[in-house]
Amino acid sequence: MATATLELEFASQFPPEKAFKSFTHFDEIAPKVIPHVFKSFDAIHGNGEVGTIKNITFGEAVPFTSGKYKVEAIDESTYTYSTSFFEGDNLYGIFDSINHHYKITPSANGGSVVKQTVTYKSKGDEKVPEEILKKEKEQYEGIYQAMEAFAAANPQA
């Protein structure tokens, strides 16, 4: 099984607890903020805690229609959050899973730093195509910018 990893880092103007909330409530916020990427999130099992499984229906801005993911870890004391996609055409037909891990730390300016690690595990020994990693990285950057702008415009959210 071949793997590839994307490492992303974003500066947030918000303290870690607010930035963390945007990830743990992403399924509620994203369809409002970026409906062209995320149409809906539907719970299959659970209500957000570890072990929750959700189905995502994607929007027209991405080259796939659906995916299922599981919440693997949530730690409010360390501001870490992990999920894994295990089913759907968002796996491009070549991945067994795509795992996301977020770690949020305070920054010197009162905001925070969001580190996102995405690990792609392919079905076989085939190398993960660079063009997929490049597209995914651009999408994650755009999603993060949209979510940050939404949080700035909606301080109560």
Side-chain angles (χ1 to χ4, degrees):
M1 177 184 310
T3 62
T5 302
L6 279 178
E7 299 278 347
L8 300 112
E9 188 171 301
F10 307 102
S12 175
Q13 64 184 307
F14 301 104
E17 53 278 357
K18 181 159 175 94
F20 184 71
K21 185 179 176 186
S22 72
F23 286 98
T24 59
H25 291 82
F26 186 82
D27 59 335
E28 300 164 19
I29 301 167
K32 298 173 193 170
V33 179
I34 38 181
H36 58 287
V37 178
F38 300 101
K39 283 188 179 178
S40 65
F41 290 73
D42 300 300
I44 296 169
H45 170 77
N47 60 3
E49 73 280 354
V50 171
T52 293
I53 296 174
K54 292 194 176 189
N55 185 69
I56 298 177
T57 301
F58 292 100
E60 67 280 353
V62 292
F64 31 80
T65 59
S66 67
K68 286 184 184 171
Y69 75 94
K70 180 179 182 181
V71 175
E72 300 287 353
I74 302 171
D75 189 334
E76 292 183 34
S77 66
T78 60
Y79 304 115
T80 56
Y81 183 69
S82 299
T83 62
S84 61
F85 281 93
F86 62 89
E87 184 179 305
D89 60 349
N90 68 317
L91 297 175
Y92 294 94
I94 61 172
F95 299 119
D96 271 334
S97 64
I98 301 173
N99 302 312
H100 295 257
H101 178 74
Y102 304 92
K103 171 101 174 123
I104 303 167
T105 55
S107 62
N109 67 358
S112 56
V113 175
V114 178
K115 292 183 180 181
Q116 178 182 5
T117 303
V118 186
T119 305
Y120 300 82
K121 295 180 182 174
S122 65
K123 289 182 177 182
D125 293 331
E126 185 178 336
K127 187 174 186 255
V128 177
E130 285 298 320
E131 62 270 13
I132 288 178
L133 296 176
K134 184 179 180 211
K135 280 184 191 176
E136 292 269 297
K137 183 176 189 275
E138 290 170 0
Q139 285 178 341
Y140 296 136
E141 289 169 346
I143 289 166
Y144 185 79
Q145 289 168 359
M147 294 294 286
E148 182 82 359
F150 173 80
N154 298 277
Q156 278 63 300

